[in-house]
Amino acid sequence: DVEEALRAGLVVRMGATVKFVHDRVHEAAYALIPPGSRASLHQSIGRKLMTGLSRKAMEEEVFDIVNQLNQATELIAQPKERQTLGRLNFLAGKRAKASAAWASARSYLAQAAALSTQSDWRERYDETFDLHLELAECEYLIGAFDAADELFKLLSERGRSNRDRVRTYRLRVRLYPVAGRYGDAVETAIEGLRLFGI
């Protein structure tokens, strides 16, 4: 299917994959796809990328998969498929965060949060809490302090255990100085100590 594009020099073979020779060529090819067809095309590509992959292989290809499926979220109606996409975005967010790509990590984590439901706080509490904690940290690291504070408030309200509430307080105390909010860091530390009777 790509032989003609290869002969024309628009794409090149790189091992088992084929890549556009330049971003402009990629953009021009993408512009030829009718806008109304793009989401379904992204969904189809994302699903094909996932087909037959083991869990480990899916983790290795996570960025390619979510970058396709995230452009088709409005077409993904099945709860199980939405949950899978949420988990893949969570994984991509954690991997991007580990590479200090804060903005990308925030984007993936925000997408995972958008795909979560209220019932996830009951049925998948640990994963949902961890997701929102990671997102709060990324919001803070990209300078979205108000969004981070809203997430900290949510986490404090939803935390089921002292351990989880401590994790929230510890993160807040660690991040407030990043924004020069030293007073808030001290106040949060004192509040946390009082909460746990120390």
Side-chain angles (χ1 to χ4, degrees), residues 53-65:
L53 290 181
S54 67
R55 184 182 172 110
K56 183 174 168 111
M58 199 176 296
E59 288 176 5
E60 291 171 8
E61 303 295 326
V62 70
F63 294 113
D64 289 335
I65 294 167

Side-chain angles (χ1 to χ4, degrees), residues 112-130:
L115 289 163
S116 69
T117 64
Q118 286 300 317
S119 64
D120 288 340
W121 283 102
R122 286 188 315 276
E123 297 165 10
R124 297 174 32 231
Y125 169 80
D126 290 333
E127 186 178 332
T128 304
F129 186 90
D130 290 347

